[in-house]
Amino acid sequence: MSLLVTGSIAIDTIKTPYGFSENCIGGSAVYFSMAASFFYPVRLVGAVGSDCPFDMAKIFAGRSVDLAGLEVRKNSKTFRWIGSYRENMDERTTDYIELNVLEEAPPDVPAEFKYSNFVFLANTAPNLQLKLLNQIDNPVFVAADTMDFWIEGQLEDLKKLLKKINCLMLNEDEARLLAKEHNLIKAADKILGIGTDVVIIKKGESGSLMCNSNGDRFILPAYPATVVKDPTGAGDSFAGGFMGYLAQAGKADFASLKTAVAYGTVVAAFTIADFSLNGLSSIDKTNIDNRLETLREVTSF
Amino acid sequence: MSLLVTGSIAIDTIKTPYGFSENCIGGSAVYFSMAASFFYPVRLVGAVGSDCPFDMAKIFAGRSVDLAGLEVRKNSKTFRWIGSYRENMDERTTDYIELNVLEEAPPDVPAEFKYSNFVFLANTAPNLQLKLLNQIDNPVFVAADTMDFWIEGQLEDLKKLLKKINCLMLNEDEARLLAKEHNLIKAADKILGIGTDVVIIKKGESGSLMCNSNGDRFILPAYPATVVKDPTGAGDSFAGGFMGYLAQAGKADFASLKTAVAYGTVVAAFTIADFSLNGLSSIDKTNIDNRLETLREVTSF
């Protein structure tokens, strides 16, 4: 089995009620890779500009993250994001954004990555997600993230993408927008009608809902975290724990998907406990497994 | 064991995006009693005016609901409420309210009800809840509901009440208001610091959170209902299923409390599937047990 992610590497500046972190490492591919590497080796595909201040090999030192798909583009600049969170940590404001390298052609998937079984297409324009996916030969399980901007502006491309992937992840507002339906169970069923096999609707501090086209359903609360300093990267860490577990299990039946959602939930809770990658870089797999048992205990009856 | 509820009997008029129900039976004691009677005999304490159009004995026909505590006050009028719900069924508007009998002295607890083990004090002014509770001899487990109006206006009485009861139920906004804390786990712990043993925070379509003063926690999603016609009575039906199961079990250890929350969740889902009592009057205990198993299945991993 093999696991590949396509996504962003970002220079983030984040303000929350609990602190401030300037020019720290971020981006969907980075959070995903950190989270997934607890479970399975990760192949990272992404691009930075020549201004990138981070030594990616050092950031992933000691972790099984293959950087053969990391492009450093000489005449480009790295994606930058400045954002802030208020007391209600579920809502965030983008204060400043420079897409830079993200506005260019997507990176090439290296020849040695083309045969990858489990693939995560982090949030970007759905036509770019399709172009990236087209570079992979016969993947087994493909998951993608999306957002309101693409649902509103590139719906036809998104629908094409949905027919090519196995799992869509999106948040509750995005699910309602895409399905034009308030009830989330019905919304999930409507999205499944467009084309994917599995839909995971993320509800922030209220957890997540997973439905598949066979009518199977799974509902899991968020991990009961009392320390939430910076929600940035929660969704991509969730995806990383989810896909990392599936790649490790080597299968994607509904029982495995349920456990994968639980692992994603737990890993995301570590991410939001501190700024940038600090929450994930300070733990090991035992911490994750212990929290999984706690989550099982506090949700079972 | 014995189970007693104090609360309202209402003439409700309800508008939702799915229909309209005029002058139908409602009220906290009514929803509670219907819900709890699936599990255990219920003693109802409440008052109506001489205008009450409902034959309460007929409404509870075939169910074990003892109406010895129902006062019909000749010179009073029954509580009336007119409310409406928008597409987001979590939010409701009170369009018209007549407190009538609810503004008067609370009903007397009949002599034959004074020795009751499990007691639910439905939402009303905390000083009235205290007066009602003072009429009960040595209850084993007392739960109470409250709302923002009392938290803002009668906080000291509410704190006195908290020291006398075993379990407080309130919704997430009310919990944040009472605790002055956004994080719900921390909010629950702060409320437990004021005086009760167990706090249940209801989160509407996102389920509920239960914490006790020993640090035990339980988080359960809502039942995945696709049919929601009228949310009125959901909270009191939850309380009815919860307290009914506890009375039946004859104990309130944390394992029993978890199962009780699950039963409350399931019963509330039946209530909201139709207007007034129609959702509850059309089912039997087998339907409830089947949904409990479904809820266990869709939440376990």
Side-chain angles (χ1 to χ4, degrees), chain A residues 192-225:
Chain A
L192 291 167
I194 303 175
T196 179
D197 308 315
V198 179
V199 170
I200 298 175
I201 299 176
K202 296 173 290 181
K203 302 167 69 182
E205 67 167 355
S206 291
S208 57
L209 162 69
M210 174 170 65
C211 298
N212 74 4
S213 45
N214 294 333
D216 296 318
R217 292 163 185 178
F218 179 51
I219 316 171
L220 189 70
Y223 185 84

Short mmCIF file of all heavy atoms in Angstrom, two decimals, chain A residues 192-225:
data_model
loop_
_atom_site.label_atom_id
_atom_site.label_comp_id
_atom_site.label_asym_id
_atom_site.label_seq_id
_atom_site.Cartn_x
_atom_site.Cartn_y
_atom_site.Cartn_z
N LEU A 192 -24.12 12.14 -2.12
CA LEU A 192 -23.81 10.79 -2.60
C LEU A 192 -24.50 10.53 -3.95
O LEU A 192 -23.97 9.80 -4.79
CB LEU A 192 -24.24 9.74 -1.58
CG LEU A 192 -23.42 9.73 -0.29
CD1 LEU A 192 -24.10 8.89 0.78
CD2 LEU A 192 -22.00 9.22 -0.53
N GLY A 193 -25.64 11.16 -4.15
CA GLY A 193 -26.35 11.04 -5.42
C GLY A 193 -25.60 11.67 -6.58
O GLY A 193 -25.79 11.30 -7.74
N ILE A 194 -24.73 12.63 -6.29
CA ILE A 194 -23.95 13.28 -7.35
C ILE A 194 -22.84 12.35 -7.84
O ILE A 194 -22.52 12.32 -9.02
CB ILE A 194 -23.35 14.62 -6.87
CG1 ILE A 194 -24.45 15.56 -6.36
CG2 ILE A 194 -22.56 15.29 -8.00
CD1 ILE A 194 -23.94 16.86 -5.75
N GLY A 195 -22.23 11.61 -6.87
CA GLY A 195 -21.20 10.74 -7.40
C GLY A 195 -20.16 10.07 -6.54
O GLY A 195 -19.51 9.15 -7.01
N THR A 196 -19.93 10.44 -5.30
CA THR A 196 -18.89 9.78 -4.52
C THR A 196 -19.49 8.63 -3.68
O THR A 196 -20.71 8.53 -3.55
CB THR A 196 -18.15 10.81 -3.64
OG1 THR A 196 -17.16 10.15 -2.88
CG2 THR A 196 -19.12 11.51 -2.70
N ASP A 197 -18.65 7.75 -3.14
CA ASP A 197 -19.15 6.61 -2.37
C ASP A 197 -19.39 6.95 -0.90
O ASP A 197 -20.23 6.36 -0.23
CB ASP A 197 -18.13 5.45 -2.40
CG ASP A 197 -17.71 5.10 -3.81
OD1 ASP A 197 -18.59 5.02 -4.68
OD2 ASP A 197 -16.50 4.93 -4.05
N VAL A 198 -18.56 7.87 -0.39
CA VAL A 198 -18.58 8.21 1.04
C VAL A 198 -18.54 9.73 1.19
O VAL A 198 -17.80 10.40 0.47
CB VAL A 198 -17.34 7.61 1.76
CG1 VAL A 198 -17.34 7.96 3.23
CG2 VAL A 198 -17.28 6.10 1.58
N VAL A 199 -19.34 10.26 2.11
CA VAL A 199 -19.29 11.69 2.43
C VAL A 199 -19.01 11.83 3.92
O VAL A 199 -19.65 11.15 4.73
CB VAL A 199 -20.61 12.41 2.09
CG1 VAL A 199 -20.63 13.81 2.65
CG2 VAL A 199 -20.81 12.47 0.59
N ILE A 200 -18.04 12.67 4.25
CA ILE A 200 -17.78 12.98 5.66
C ILE A 200 -18.05 14.46 5.87
O ILE A 200 -17.42 15.31 5.24
CB ILE A 200 -16.34 12.63 6.05
CG1 ILE A 200 -16.11 11.12 5.88
CG2 ILE A 200 -16.06 13.04 7.51
CD1 ILE A 200 -14.68 10.68 6.13
N ILE A 201 -19.01 14.75 6.74
CA ILE A 201 -19.36 16.13 7.04
C ILE A 201 -18.76 16.48 8.40
O ILE A 201 -19.06 15.86 9.41
CB ILE A 201 -20.89 16.33 7.04
CG1 ILE A 201 -21.46 15.98 5.65
CG2 ILE A 201 -21.25 17.76 7.43
CD1 ILE A 201 -22.98 16.06 5.55
N LYS A 202 -17.89 17.51 8.40
CA LYS A 202 -17.20 17.91 9.62
C LYS A 202 -17.97 19.04 10.30
O LYS A 202 -18.34 20.01 9.66
CB LYS A 202 -15.77 18.33 9.28
CG LYS A 202 -14.93 17.18 8.71
CD LYS A 202 -13.57 17.64 8.23
CE LYS A 202 -13.70 18.48 6.97
NZ LYS A 202 -12.41 18.94 6.43
N LYS A 203 -18.19 18.88 11.61
CA LYS A 203 -19.01 19.83 12.34
C LYS A 203 -18.24 20.54 13.45
O LYS A 203 -18.82 20.93 14.46
CB LYS A 203 -20.23 19.09 12.92
CG LYS A 203 -21.07 18.39 11.85
CD LYS A 203 -22.06 17.42 12.45
CE LYS A 203 -23.15 18.14 13.19
NZ LYS A 203 -24.10 17.20 13.83
N GLY A 204 -16.95 20.70 13.26
CA GLY A 204 -16.14 21.41 14.25
C GLY A 204 -16.23 20.76 15.61
O GLY A 204 -16.05 19.54 15.73
N GLU A 205 -16.54 21.55 16.62
CA GLU A 205 -16.56 21.01 17.98
C GLU A 205 -17.73 20.05 18.21
O GLU A 205 -17.83 19.45 19.28
CB GLU A 205 -16.59 22.14 19.02
CG GLU A 205 -17.86 22.94 18.98
CD GLU A 205 -18.03 23.84 20.21
OE1 GLU A 205 -17.21 23.79 21.12
OE2 GLU A 205 -19.02 24.60 20.21
N SER A 206 -18.61 19.89 17.21
CA SER A 206 -19.69 18.91 17.34
C SER A 206 -19.39 17.60 16.64
O SER A 206 -20.26 16.75 16.50
CB SER A 206 -21.01 19.49 16.83
OG SER A 206 -21.44 20.50 17.70
N GLY A 207 -18.16 17.43 16.14
CA GLY A 207 -17.77 16.14 15.60
C GLY A 207 -18.02 16.00 14.12
O GLY A 207 -17.93 16.97 13.37
N SER A 208 -18.36 14.78 13.71
CA SER A 208 -18.50 14.53 12.27
C SER A 208 -19.54 13.45 12.00
O SER A 208 -19.91 12.68 12.88
CB SER A 208 -17.16 14.13 11.67
OG SER A 208 -16.66 13.00 12.36
N LEU A 209 -19.97 13.44 10.76
CA LEU A 209 -20.99 12.51 10.29
C LEU A 209 -20.46 11.88 9.01
O LEU A 209 -19.98 12.59 8.13
CB LEU A 209 -22.26 13.31 10.00
CG LEU A 209 -23.32 12.66 9.10
CD1 LEU A 209 -23.98 11.50 9.83
CD2 LEU A 209 -24.38 13.70 8.72
N MET A 210 -20.50 10.56 8.91
CA MET A 210 -20.08 9.88 7.69
C MET A 210 -21.22 9.03 7.16
O MET A 210 -21.86 8.28 7.91
CB MET A 210 -18.86 8.99 7.97
CG MET A 210 -18.43 8.15 6.78
SD MET A 210 -16.83 7.32 7.03
CE MET A 210 -17.22 6.21 8.38
N CYS A 211 -21.51 9.15 5.87
CA CYS A 211 -22.55 8.34 5.23
C CYS A 211 -21.98 7.74 3.95
O CYS A 211 -21.14 8.36 3.29
CB CYS A 211 -23.74 9.23 4.84
SG CYS A 211 -24.57 10.01 6.24
N ASN A 212 -22.41 6.55 3.61
CA ASN A 212 -22.00 6.00 2.32
C ASN A 212 -23.21 5.66 1.46
O ASN A 212 -24.36 5.79 1.90
CB ASN A 212 -21.06 4.79 2.50
CG ASN A 212 -21.78 3.54 2.96
OD1 ASN A 212 -23.01 3.52 3.09
ND2 ASN A 212 -21.03 2.50 3.24
N SER A 213 -22.93 5.26 0.23
CA SER A 213 -24.02 5.06 -0.73
C SER A 213 -24.80 3.78 -0.46
O SER A 213 -25.84 3.56 -1.07
CB SER A 213 -23.46 5.07 -2.16
OG SER A 213 -22.29 4.29 -2.23
N ASN A 214 -24.35 2.94 0.48
CA ASN A 214 -25.14 1.78 0.91
C ASN A 214 -26.12 2.11 2.03
O ASN A 214 -26.83 1.23 2.51
CB ASN A 214 -24.23 0.66 1.44
CG ASN A 214 -23.35 0.08 0.36
OD1 ASN A 214 -23.71 0.09 -0.82
ND2 ASN A 214 -22.19 -0.42 0.75
N GLY A 215 -26.10 3.36 2.49
CA GLY A 215 -26.98 3.74 3.59
C GLY A 215 -26.37 3.56 4.97
O GLY A 215 -27.03 3.77 5.99
N ASP A 216 -25.08 3.18 5.02
CA ASP A 216 -24.41 3.09 6.32
C ASP A 216 -24.13 4.50 6.86
O ASP A 216 -23.78 5.40 6.09
CB ASP A 216 -23.08 2.35 6.19
CG ASP A 216 -23.26 0.90 5.76
OD1 ASP A 216 -24.19 0.25 6.27
OD2 ASP A 216 -22.49 0.44 4.89
N ARG A 217 -24.23 4.65 8.17
CA ARG A 217 -24.01 5.95 8.79
C ARG A 217 -23.14 5.82 10.02
O ARG A 217 -23.24 4.83 10.75
CB ARG A 217 -25.35 6.58 9.19
CG ARG A 217 -26.17 6.97 8.00
CD ARG A 217 -27.62 7.18 8.36
NE ARG A 217 -28.39 7.44 7.15
CZ ARG A 217 -29.69 7.64 7.12
NH1 ARG A 217 -30.38 7.60 8.24
NH2 ARG A 217 -30.31 7.85 5.99
N PHE A 218 -22.35 6.83 10.26
CA PHE A 218 -21.52 6.86 11.48
C PHE A 218 -21.47 8.30 11.98
O PHE A 218 -21.21 9.23 11.21
CB PHE A 218 -20.10 6.38 11.16
CG PHE A 218 -19.16 6.38 12.34
CD1 PHE A 218 -19.53 5.78 13.54
CD2 PHE A 218 -17.92 6.98 12.26
CE1 PHE A 218 -18.67 5.78 14.63
CE2 PHE A 218 -17.05 6.99 13.35
CZ PHE A 218 -17.42 6.38 14.53
N ILE A 219 -21.73 8.47 13.26
CA ILE A 219 -21.75 9.80 13.84
C ILE A 219 -20.83 9.79 15.04
O ILE A 219 -20.99 8.97 15.94
CB ILE A 219 -23.16 10.21 14.30
CG1 ILE A 219 -24.19 9.82 13.24
CG2 ILE A 219 -23.23 11.69 14.60
CD1 ILE A 219 -25.61 10.00 13.71
N LEU A 220 -19.86 10.68 15.06
CA LEU A 220 -18.90 10.70 16.16
C LEU A 220 -18.73 12.14 16.68
O LEU A 220 -18.49 13.05 15.89
CB LEU A 220 -17.55 10.16 15.67
CG LEU A 220 -16.50 9.93 16.76
CD1 LEU A 220 -16.90 8.74 17.64
CD2 LEU A 220 -15.13 9.68 16.16
N PRO A 221 -18.85 12.32 17.99
CA PRO A 221 -18.58 13.65 18.55
C PRO A 221 -17.09 14.00 18.41
O PRO A 221 -16.26 13.11 18.18
CB PRO A 221 -18.94 13.49 20.03
CG PRO A 221 -19.73 12.24 20.14
CD PRO A 221 -19.25 11.36 19.04
N ALA A 222 -16.77 15.26 18.55
CA ALA A 222 -15.37 15.65 18.61
C ALA A 222 -14.76 15.12 19.91
O ALA A 222 -15.48 14.82 20.87
CB ALA A 222 -15.25 17.17 18.57
N TYR A 223 -13.44 14.98 19.93
CA TYR A 223 -12.77 14.63 21.18
C TYR A 223 -13.03 15.76 22.19
O TYR A 223 -12.95 16.93 21.83
CB TYR A 223 -11.27 14.46 20.93
CG TYR A 223 -10.54 13.99 22.15
CD1 TYR A 223 -10.47 12.64 22.45
CD2 TYR A 223 -9.95 14.89 23.03
CE1 TYR A 223 -9.83 12.20 23.60
CE2 TYR A 223 -9.31 14.46 24.18
CZ TYR A 223 -9.26 13.11 24.47
OH TYR A 223 -8.64 12.69 25.59
N PRO A 224 -13.34 15.41 23.44
CA PRO A 224 -13.67 16.48 24.41
C PRO A 224 -12.44 17.28 24.85
O PRO A 224 -11.96 17.14 25.96
CB PRO A 224 -14.30 15.70 25.57
CG PRO A 224 -13.74 14.32 25.47
CD PRO A 224 -13.52 14.06 24.01
N ALA A 225 -11.97 18.12 23.96
CA ALA A 225 -10.75 18.89 24.23
C ALA A 225 -11.07 20.11 25.09
O ALA A 225 -12.03 20.82 24.82
CB ALA A 225 -10.15 19.35 22.91
#
